[in-house]
Amino acid sequence: KYRYADWNYTWGNAAVVDVFYVGVPGSNEFNLGGGYAFKRGGLVVTPLAYAVLGKEDSQRGIKVAVLVTFEHRGWKLASFVGHYVPVGGAPAAYDVMDTFDVTRTFGTRFEVGVQTGFFHAGGGWNQQTGPLLKVNDSHGAWAASYRFGSQNELRVGRVLTF
């Protein structure tokens, strides 16, 4: 039911372009945005702004977000948090954290940890948390998580790096 595809690129000057699609039953969003990555040691904070176009209900809006990654002594954290403001059509404003991952590396290939996230709209919350396993290789990483909450969800994903 959940569909997601993302392409992003960071230039040498830390400017970022990010284009992603997210789909769930009744909603298909295309997000086109960019920002700037601020890096200090193992911490990278990237504020982002997106134009959002939806297939359903003439959806048009703006999403402001922040992507945070942190690595230190085998621990990794990655999180994307955003707020959507409608400009036209539906849906109403919403907040999303998709996802907040904390992992510990084992050897050079494996990461084990916890993944959590939420979607908040119209006073309703959809919170989910569960175990996460990542297997890194020369092309990126495979990830699998099973999140429990108001809806249980199995996620399997592939990140390709070029």
Side-chain angles (χ1 to χ4, degrees), residues 2 8 13 19 24 47 52 63 65 68 92 100 103 114 133 135-136 145:
Y2 178 83
N8 65 63
N13 66 359
V19 178
V24 295
V52 181
K63 186 178 292 172
V68 176
F100 185 93
T103 60
V114 174
L133 172 65
V135 180
N136 301 297
S145 67

Side-chain angles (χ1 to χ4, degrees), residues 42-107:
L43 175 66
V44 181
V45 177
T46 309
L48 299 156
Y50 298 88
V52 181
L53 306 172
K55 177 181 173 187
E56 293 80 13
D57 301 319
S58 301
Q59 179 186 358
R60 303 290 181 264
I62 297 168
K63 186 178 292 172
V64 292
V66 65
L67 173 64
V68 176
T69 61
F70 180 72
E71 293 186 33
H72 184 68
R73 296 184 180 176
W75 289 96
K76 295 183 179 182
L77 175 143
S79 184
F80 177 91
V81 179
H83 177 72
Y84 170 79
V85 177
V87 174
Y94 65 79
D95 300 298
V96 62
M97 181 172 69
D98 195 11
T99 59
F100 185 93
D101 300 348
V102 177
T103 60
R104 174 76 175 152
T105 58
F106 292 93

Side-chain angles (χ1 to χ4, degrees), residues 96-133:
V96 62
M97 181 172 69
D98 195 11
T99 59
F100 185 93
D101 300 348
V102 177
T103 60
R104 174 76 175 152
T105 58
F106 292 93
T108 58
R109 297 192 61 200
F110 298 97
E111 297 177 45
V112 176
V114 174
Q115 183 177 79
T116 190
F118 68 77
F119 183 81
H120 175 245
W125 285 89
N126 179 8
Q127 299 165 299
Q128 298 172 313
T129 301
L132 170 64
L133 172 65

Side-chain angles (χ1 to χ4, degrees), residues 23-43:
V24 295
S27 176
N28 291 279
E29 285 186 0
F30 178 75
N31 294 253
L32 172 61
Y36 188 84
F38 297 93
K39 184 173 183 178
R40 183 170 205 101
L43 175 66

